[in-house]
Short mmCIF file of all heavy atoms in Angstrom, two decimals:
data_model
loop_
_atom_site.label_atom_id
_atom_site.label_comp_id
_atom_site.label_asym_id
_atom_site.label_seq_id
_atom_site.Cartn_x
_atom_site.Cartn_y
_atom_site.Cartn_z
N MET A 523 -57.66 8.31 -183.19
CA MET A 523 -57.66 7.88 -184.60
C MET A 523 -56.43 7.00 -184.86
O MET A 523 -55.32 7.37 -184.47
CB MET A 523 -57.60 9.12 -185.49
CG MET A 523 -58.03 8.85 -186.91
SD MET A 523 -57.71 10.25 -188.02
CE MET A 523 -59.07 11.33 -187.58
N SER A 524 -56.61 5.87 -185.49
CA SER A 524 -55.46 5.02 -185.80
C SER A 524 -54.65 5.66 -186.92
O SER A 524 -55.16 6.48 -187.68
CB SER A 524 -55.93 3.63 -186.22
OG SER A 524 -56.49 3.70 -187.52
N LEU A 525 -53.40 5.24 -186.98
CA LEU A 525 -52.52 5.77 -188.02
C LEU A 525 -53.10 5.47 -189.40
O LEU A 525 -53.09 6.30 -190.30
CB LEU A 525 -51.13 5.14 -187.86
CG LEU A 525 -49.98 5.87 -188.53
CD1 LEU A 525 -49.89 7.31 -188.06
CD2 LEU A 525 -48.67 5.15 -188.26
N GLU A 526 -53.65 4.28 -189.51
CA GLU A 526 -54.20 3.86 -190.80
C GLU A 526 -55.37 4.75 -191.24
O GLU A 526 -55.45 5.15 -192.40
CB GLU A 526 -54.66 2.41 -190.72
CG GLU A 526 -54.74 1.76 -192.07
CD GLU A 526 -54.38 0.29 -192.01
OE1 GLU A 526 -53.42 -0.07 -191.28
OE2 GLU A 526 -55.07 -0.49 -192.67
N SER A 527 -56.24 5.09 -190.30
CA SER A 527 -57.37 5.94 -190.70
C SER A 527 -56.93 7.38 -190.91
O SER A 527 -57.50 8.10 -191.73
CB SER A 527 -58.53 5.84 -189.71
OG SER A 527 -58.13 6.21 -188.43
N LEU A 528 -55.88 7.80 -190.20
CA LEU A 528 -55.32 9.13 -190.46
C LEU A 528 -54.77 9.19 -191.88
O LEU A 528 -55.01 10.15 -192.63
CB LEU A 528 -54.20 9.44 -189.45
CG LEU A 528 -53.40 10.71 -189.73
CD1 LEU A 528 -54.25 11.96 -189.51
CD2 LEU A 528 -52.15 10.77 -188.86
N TYR A 529 -54.07 8.13 -192.28
CA TYR A 529 -53.50 8.07 -193.62
C TYR A 529 -54.59 8.06 -194.68
O TYR A 529 -54.51 8.72 -195.71
CB TYR A 529 -52.61 6.82 -193.76
CG TYR A 529 -51.28 6.99 -193.08
CD1 TYR A 529 -50.42 5.90 -192.93
CD2 TYR A 529 -50.86 8.23 -192.60
CE1 TYR A 529 -49.18 6.04 -192.32
CE2 TYR A 529 -49.63 8.37 -191.99
CZ TYR A 529 -48.79 7.28 -191.84
OH TYR A 529 -47.57 7.42 -191.24
N GLN A 530 -55.65 7.29 -194.38
CA GLN A 530 -56.80 7.23 -195.28
C GLN A 530 -57.38 8.63 -195.48
O GLN A 530 -57.72 9.04 -196.58
CB GLN A 530 -57.86 6.32 -194.63
CG GLN A 530 -58.88 5.80 -195.61
CD GLN A 530 -58.26 4.79 -196.58
OE1 GLN A 530 -57.30 4.10 -196.23
NE2 GLN A 530 -58.78 4.72 -197.78
N GLU A 531 -57.45 9.35 -194.37
CA GLU A 531 -57.99 10.71 -194.36
C GLU A 531 -57.17 11.64 -195.27
O GLU A 531 -57.71 12.42 -196.04
CB GLU A 531 -57.93 11.23 -192.92
CG GLU A 531 -58.70 12.49 -192.70
CD GLU A 531 -59.98 12.20 -191.91
OE1 GLU A 531 -60.61 11.15 -192.16
OE2 GLU A 531 -60.32 13.00 -191.07
N ILE A 532 -55.85 11.56 -195.16
CA ILE A 532 -54.95 12.40 -195.96
C ILE A 532 -55.18 12.12 -197.45
O ILE A 532 -55.31 13.03 -198.27
CB ILE A 532 -53.47 12.15 -195.60
CG1 ILE A 532 -53.18 12.67 -194.18
CG2 ILE A 532 -52.53 12.82 -196.60
CD1 ILE A 532 -51.82 12.27 -193.63
N ILE A 533 -55.27 10.84 -197.79
CA ILE A 533 -55.45 10.45 -199.19
C ILE A 533 -56.79 10.97 -199.72
O ILE A 533 -56.87 11.58 -200.79
CB ILE A 533 -55.34 8.91 -199.36
CG1 ILE A 533 -53.89 8.48 -199.09
CG2 ILE A 533 -55.79 8.47 -200.74
CD1 ILE A 533 -53.68 6.97 -198.94
N MET A 534 -57.85 10.78 -198.94
CA MET A 534 -59.17 11.21 -199.39
C MET A 534 -59.26 12.73 -199.48
O MET A 534 -59.90 13.28 -200.37
CB MET A 534 -60.28 10.67 -198.47
CG MET A 534 -60.55 9.19 -198.63
SD MET A 534 -60.57 8.60 -200.35
CE MET A 534 -62.08 9.34 -200.97
N GLU A 535 -58.60 13.40 -198.57
CA GLU A 535 -58.64 14.86 -198.55
C GLU A 535 -57.96 15.42 -199.81
O GLU A 535 -58.47 16.35 -200.44
CB GLU A 535 -57.95 15.35 -197.27
CG GLU A 535 -58.43 16.71 -196.80
CD GLU A 535 -57.58 17.82 -197.35
OE1 GLU A 535 -56.34 17.68 -197.32
OE2 GLU A 535 -58.15 18.80 -197.84
N ALA A 635 -48.26 8.57 -196.04
CA ALA A 635 -49.62 8.03 -196.00
C ALA A 635 -49.83 6.97 -197.08
O ALA A 635 -50.68 6.10 -196.95
CB ALA A 635 -50.64 9.15 -196.17
#
Side-chain angles (χ1 to χ4, degrees):
M523 198 189 282
S524 73
L525 199 57
E526 202 146 320
S527 59
L528 172 69
Y529 284 171
Q530 199 70 30
E531 192 107 321
I532 292 170
I533 292 168
M534 286 318 290
E535 206 267 315

